[in-house]
Amino acid sequence: MESKAAVETVEAIGASVSALAVFVDRAVGSVPLNGDEVPRGSSVPGLDPLRDQADAYLDGLAELARTEARLAALKVQLVAGYARTEKAMTPPAASPQDCMVRDMAVTAEVAGVLTISERAAGNLQVEANILTAGRPLTMAALQAGAISWRHARIMVDETENVDPAGAAELEAHFLDPDAPDPARGCPAGELVPCRFRAKVCTWRERHHPGSIEKRHARSSADRRVEYTPDSDGMAWFSAYLPAAQAVGIWNRTTDAARAMQGPGEARTLTQLRADVTSTWLLTAGRRPKAEGNTGSAIDGITDEFGAVPSPAAQVLVTVPVFSLLGLTEEPAMLDGYGPIPPSMARALVADGAASFLRVLTDPRDGAPLEIGRISYRLTKQMRQWLRLRDAKCTFPACNNHSLDNDADHLLAWARGGPTGISNLGQSCPKHHRLKHNSGWTPAAASTNDPPGWTSPAGRHYRSEQPDWEPPHWPPRIQAMLDHLDPPDEGDPCTPEIHGVTERPVAEVPFGNGHEAA
């Protein structure tokens, strides 16, 4: 079976190479860049030869990406096949020491053939064994060129501590369009790897058999600060912290850095963040020790264990209502991070009310119902909804965080575009400029779905939609619902519990300003 799969992969690679040759011939050999000649091999000149040539280059790149994926699938099959063949040749009576030496020899052989380190060869063997033996949908997608090698490695990483049934369910959610609950929005292969990892991690946390509270408690014990010297008189300073604290520090630092920007400030936002952080840690907020106090206090944070306050910068948290009430233990979602333990979300409610912006979700399908208000300014309310809907810059492959982005009309106000959520999108400053100064145009959006984009070449890139799913119901309430009789059809007084098809639209105020800044 494995040999047959390898042969099929080779045949697919051959087809890809043939198609690639056609695209390269169209692109490189058809018409020179000065446009003086008609396309080679064509009796009818193209209406726009240069446009045809540019499209051929892009088609070639797309086919090359599929070919690279198929080559990666073949490498995985060959590595796994070689390791299994060598294992089959090991005498049954061999001692554990002999088996270990044989495994080391196999790893060294693979490393030598591929000219990589033995550590990298060992990792490749592990990944190849997992993919060929236990991730059939991932292997099939890789062989078809539908996902890249990085996507396949992410699937291996994120299913490492999940039981086989859970791993199969995760695979099906993202790679099987006929699954009972397929992922919404872009197919996996159209997401850049870092965004694919974020979506896989979010889904895994919601379905992980182990309690996120227990796993967070174990990981929290490992919190630490690290220092690593680097070259050119520089060094790395990092901290491993609970997510709410880390995101709050990042947002507060960003707010301070953005406030310092202006015509007379030459430093970039990244440089300002670094300078603000250094200044705060080294000088800001130092106060003399109080009499009888042997500790110190910096900006209101004492050195007593557990005295770190909730973040002062605004933090957006999406909380399933039953989890907020303590009836279930499913994760909440922290803007700029991902899934967090429900106890952390409840602590933000209790301790950081001034900076915590609550988002309740529909207990039927997980979509947002309403967003907490902290201001009467309508444009700010809309901006918070955009943060919830988009989470990042909506441009393809951009991972810029929502706090750094600009709210902008998709259809310009001057051309009749309304100031409503379905006509707004978040773009980082770079892609905001690109929208106004190039042929890149955003596509339509909705209240809950961000816009896709269309390139100057006419290629459409779909948006990365939020992958909402129904929250967990408390067992007692679920038991009550299971024993309810179905409602009578046409009875206007009967609440819709079974077969809900529509969700009430969130009431988000729409402003009438000329710019949603």
Side-chain angles (χ1 to χ4, degrees), residues 211-250:
S211 166
I212 189 173
E213 292 287 1
K214 294 179 180 178
R215 287 181 284 123
H216 172 68
R218 289 195 300 267
S219 298
S220 181
D222 295 329
R223 61 189 181 280
R224 59 189 178 274
V225 173
E226 294 183 347
Y227 160 76
T228 305
D230 205 350
S231 57
D232 302 325
M234 302 296 288
W236 290 99
F237 179 83
S238 59
Y240 184 60
L241 300 171
Q245 296 174 15
V247 172
I249 291 170
W250 175 261

Side-chain angles (χ1 to χ4, degrees), residues 41-52:
S42 174
S43 59
V44 180
L47 295 177
D48 189 349
L50 286 178
R51 179 72 268 162
D52 294 342

Side-chain angles (χ1 to χ4, degrees), residues 110-317:
V110 172
V113 169
L114 296 178
T115 319
I116 57 179
S117 69
E118 290 188 32
R119 181 177 181 180
N123 291 337
L124 178 58
Q125 283 181 255
V126 172
E127 292 163 344
N129 181 62
I130 293 173
L131 285 169
T132 56
R135 304 293 180 270
L137 294 180
T138 305
M139 271 303 298
L142 191 63
Q143 289 173 276
I147 63 173
S148 71
W149 171 234
R150 290 185 63 189
H151 288 81
R153 293 188 67 186
I154 288 169
M155 189 64 76
V156 171
D157 290 344
E158 297 297 333
T159 56
E160 182 178 3
N161 297 319
V162 181
D163 58 55
E169 189 178 358
L170 190 153
E171 263 198 316
H173 178 74
F174 288 100
L175 299 176
D176 183 3
D178 297 324
D181 179 31
R184 299 176 67 247
C186 288
E190 294 183 20
L191 292 170
V192 293
C194 65
R195 297 306 309 162
F196 178 60
R197 182 184 291 277
K199 296 196 81 169
V200 172
C201 180
T202 298
W203 193 92
R204 185 203 63 191
E205 289 292 356
R206 284 186 52 84
H207 297 266
H208 200 290
S211 166
I212 189 173
E213 292 287 1
K214 294 179 180 178
R215 287 181 284 123
H216 172 68
R218 289 195 300 267
S219 298
S220 181
D222 295 329
R223 61 189 181 280
R224 59 189 178 274
V225 173
E226 294 183 347
Y227 160 76
T228 305
D230 205 350
S231 57
D232 302 325
M234 302 296 288
W236 290 99
F237 179 83
S238 59
Y240 184 60
L241 300 171
Q245 296 174 15
V247 172
I249 291 170
W250 175 261
N251 290 351
R252 186 180 180 194
T253 304
T254 299
D255 288 344
R258 292 190 71 134
M260 296 171 65
Q261 289 183 309
E265 178 56 70
R267 290 172 292 180
T268 65
L269 184 64
T270 299
Q271 293 168 338
L272 286 169
R273 280 196 193 100
D275 293 346
V276 166
T277 302
S278 299
T279 301
W280 282 353
L281 289 177
L282 293 173
T283 62
R286 287 192 179 275
R287 294 193 293 269
K289 297 180 182 179
E291 184 175 353
N293 180 15
T294 58
S296 62
I298 299 178
D299 201 17
I301 301 177
T302 70
D303 59 358
E304 297 176 6
F305 180 79
V308 180
S310 292
Q314 190 178 88
V315 179
L316 186 68
V317 182

